[in-house]
Amino acid sequence: MRQIIKFLEKYRYFLLFIILEFIALSFTIQSHSYHRSKFVNSANSITGGIYGKLNSINEFWSLKSENQRLLEENTRLKNILSLEPIEIDSTKYTSRYRYFSAKIIKNDYTKRNNYLLINKGSKNGVKPEMAVVNSKGIIGVTKSVSNHNTTVISILNKYSQVNAKPKNTNHFGTLSWNGKDYKTVQLLDLPRQAQFKVGDTIITGGKSTIFPEGILIGTIKDFEKNDNVYNFINITLFNDMSSLSNVNIIANIQRKEIQELENTNNE
Amino acid sequence: MNNNTTKHIIWFVLFVLLQVLIFNNIKLFGYINPYIYIAFVFFYPLKKEKTTFLFLSFLLGLCIDFFSDTGGINASATLFIAYFRLPILSAILRKNDFDFLLFNIRSISFGKSLLYVLSLTFIHHLIIFALEYFNLNEFGSIINKTIITTILTVFLIFIGIILFTKKR
């Protein structure tokens, strides 16, 4: 016993180092898992508050371009509205998705795994795994939710996997990012039968419970085909991920129902 | 003593705020952010209690992690260089009995202080990017990013040293 105490005393500095390093690495590995909500995130009130204050100052610089974008979106939506028949029969019409508005208060795009922070939280009805988009297209998926803030896994993240397809086909692939350029993402696992050419539009596939079908992503920049298998397909994003401000969160109302159905199928 | 503790706490908070509010937004060439907060590790007095120093370095890294959603990457890298600071310093100064009670980064020659800052910064950045990419296939990107960021960080830290410390 005494020997153990002596040993601990002699190496306590080293042991402390090992223990703390172990804690830090376990935080790191926990943050790699998609489903486990992690302890270290910027959605808490202190960091969220500081970023919120900072954003209220920085917002000023992008007001003009952001106003322009919102104006264009409004015009587009009004045009769509004017095409719709005026009477909506509420017995036939059931909406599958609900939209919230939010603002991005921290934006990252330089790291390998980027997370954004938005200023709406569980008090506003936000939950984990909801879609985040703006009028130009896809942005990410919500992850950790606190009372007033939520972290978002950007599509510029190794752990972001979004179901996507070329607009004119029904072949699906997975959207991922290789970490090189924040304007370009990659489409993987697209079956070789899929036909497309450079410049085609890529949209979300709607085969997940998170994103509705038809959210814009980008256009095909270039691709390489080898032995009838696509080596890579690069996609230029419509969104400029380096300047984002106002976003929409999309909640799938039927999500729980779909998941319950899927679970019963698995049994 | 008390005065010194207050000074370290102020530096601690200052480094966190500087890093997350200013230096995380530099984005040189579109993707390079220097990590200047590790200067706290370089300047923390050697004579102080070593366990407190380890805890402080861990906390400093964890604070940065909280702000930048990086899990525990910064905490583990900062802790690592905090632990290996003394061995590396004694290897650079080539004697084990150097007078570390009076150690000051301006009191040793420029070459040696550059080597001290450079080696610790490189180790720190290598750990950060290795953990961030977490994939051996992207080894080229890791090394590339480590080297460029190290150069920028060391450059900024030396500007800080020249501006904010007294020559002994």
Side-chain angles (χ1 to χ4, degrees), chain B residues 6 15 53 66 83 89 122 162:
Chain B
T6 328
F15 270 125
F53 174 56
F66 264 108
Y83 185 79
L89 196 60
F122 183 79
I162 290 162

Side-chain angles (χ1 to χ4, degrees), chain A residues 14 21 42 106 110 112 158, chain B residues 69 76 83 132-133 145:
Chain A
F14 179 70
E21 196 69 62
S42 60
K106 184 204 98 179
T110 56
R112 179 68 183 92
K158 191 157 70 174
Chain B
D69 291 291
S76 81
Y83 185 79
E132 193 179 312
Y133 281 77
K145 228 172 165 176

Side-chain angles (χ1 to χ4, degrees), chain A residues 19-229:
Chain A
I19 291 167
L20 289 180
E21 196 69 62
F22 181 77
I23 295 171
L25 287 177
S26 67
F27 282 151
T28 310
I29 286 161
Q30 206 181 70
S31 79
H32 288 170
S33 103
Y34 187 94
H35 289 284
R36 212 176 312 163
S37 76
K38 50 184 184 145
F39 165 63
V40 181
N41 65 60
S42 60
N44 63 66
S45 57
I46 299 172
T47 54
I50 290 177
Y51 276 127
K53 285 269 180 326
L54 184 72
N55 180 62
S56 63
I57 302 166
N58 280 342
E59 204 180 15
F60 182 74
W61 306 108
S62 60
L63 268 184
K64 214 170 172 181
S65 61
E66 195 58 26
N67 269 339
Q68 185 64 30
R69 192 185 65 77
L70 292 174
L71 200 70
E72 276 164 13
E73 187 182 6
N74 259 342
T75 322
R76 194 174 58 83
L77 293 177
K78 274 182 186 156
N79 280 333
I80 295 173
L81 258 185
S82 67
L83 293 174
E84 292 277 308
I86 294 161
E87 34 187 317
I88 294 171
D89 191 345
S90 62
T91 52
K92 283 181 201 161
Y93 182 76
T94 49
S95 168
R96 230 183 115 178
Y97 299 100
R98 211 167 72 216
Y99 288 72
F100 307 91
S101 71
K103 194 172 278 175
I104 290 194
I105 55 175
K106 184 204 98 179
N107 186 11
D108 262 334
Y109 53 93
T110 56
K111 297 200 192 105
R112 179 68 183 92
N113 299 311
N114 296 292
Y115 293 91
L116 318 173
L117 190 67
I118 53 178
N119 66 348
K120 292 280 162 75
S122 57
K123 289 242 164 102
N124 309 92
V126 180
K127 294 199 175 69
E129 304 204 349
M130 285 181 174
V132 179
V133 301
N134 70 7
S135 66
K136 286 184 181 167
I138 184 171
I139 289 167
V141 179
T142 59
K143 192 176 184 189
S144 308
V145 181
S146 75
N147 280 343
H148 298 289
N149 297 289
T150 306
T151 57
V152 177
I153 306 181
S154 162
I155 45 168
L156 305 179
N157 190 314
K158 191 157 70 174
Y159 305 104
S160 152
Q161 286 185 332
V162 177
N163 181 274
K165 64 171 190 180
K167 201 174 181 179
N168 50 3
T169 71
N170 275 320
H171 296 291
F172 297 98
T174 310
L175 201 69
S176 74
W177 187 51
N178 64 7
K180 297 225 162 73
D181 178 13
Y182 67 86
K183 289 172 189 135
T184 317
V185 293
Q186 282 71 37
L187 187 61
L188 303 179
D189 307 329
L190 197 68
R192 59 183 175 185
Q193 301 94 312
Q195 293 293 319
F196 53 81
K197 55 186 184 295
V198 170
D200 277 5
T201 307
I202 303 287
I203 56 175
T204 54
K207 287 284 181 283
S208 75
T209 51
I210 299 174
F211 282 97
E213 189 177 344
I215 301 275
L216 295 172
I217 296 172
T219 54
I220 294 177
K221 188 181 170 195
D222 53 356
F223 60 89
E224 198 180 276
K225 206 172 179 181
N226 211 350
D227 295 334
N228 273 334
V229 178

Side-chain angles (χ1 to χ4, degrees), chain B:
Chain B
M1 171 60 203
N2 215 343
N3 187 19
N4 253 333
T5 317
T6 328
K7 206 173 85 185
H8 289 306
I9 293 170
I10 290 174
W11 270 114
F12 185 94
V13 176
L14 204 67
F15 270 125
V16 172
L17 291 180
L18 268 180
Q19 179 66 43
V20 292
L21 298 185
I22 297 171
F23 288 96
N24 270 357
N25 296 312
I26 287 211
K27 289 161 189 162
L28 191 71
F29 310 130
Y31 66 106
I32 302 295
N33 280 334
Y35 294 94
I36 52 100
Y37 73 92
I38 52 171
F40 181 82
V41 177
F42 304 150
F43 288 116
Y44 196 84
L46 291 173
K47 62 186 166 193
K48 280 278 167 77
E49 175 68 35
K50 277 154 79 183
T51 29
T52 326
F53 174 56
L54 271 196
F55 265 118
L56 275 180
S57 312
F58 176 74
L59 270 183
L60 178 67
L62 203 62
C63 282
I64 306 290
D65 281 327
F66 264 108
F67 275 98
S68 40
D69 291 291
T70 40
I73 292 175
N74 286 290
S76 81
T78 316
L79 185 70
F80 194 86
I81 58 165
Y83 185 79
F84 284 99
R85 180 180 74 155
L86 202 57
I88 285 180
L89 196 60
S90 39
I92 287 170
L93 296 180
R94 290 230 181 85
K95 49 188 172 186
N96 286 319
D97 58 340
F98 64 93
D99 194 1
F100 64 78
L101 286 175
L102 293 169
F103 171 75
N104 180 293
I105 204 151
R106 291 297 284 261
S107 65
I108 55 180
S109 73
F110 178 75
K112 279 177 179 169
S113 58
L114 180 68
L115 194 63
Y116 166 59
V117 172
L118 191 69
S119 51
L120 284 180
T121 310
F122 183 79
I123 295 169
H124 177 267
H125 287 15
L126 189 66
I127 295 173
I128 286 219
F129 292 119
L131 287 178
E132 193 179 312
Y133 281 77
F134 218 68
N135 188 352
L136 269 183
N137 293 334
E138 293 172 289
F139 191 69
S141 307
I142 295 173
I143 289 291
N144 185 10
K145 228 172 165 176
T146 305
I147 290 173
I148 300 176
T149 314
T150 303
I151 292 169
L152 186 64
T153 306
V154 170
F155 179 70
L156 285 172
I157 285 178
F158 265 89
I159 289 181
I161 290 175
I162 290 162
L163 286 180
F164 297 112
T165 61
K166 289 189 216 91
K167 180 129 183 120
R168 294 250 170 120

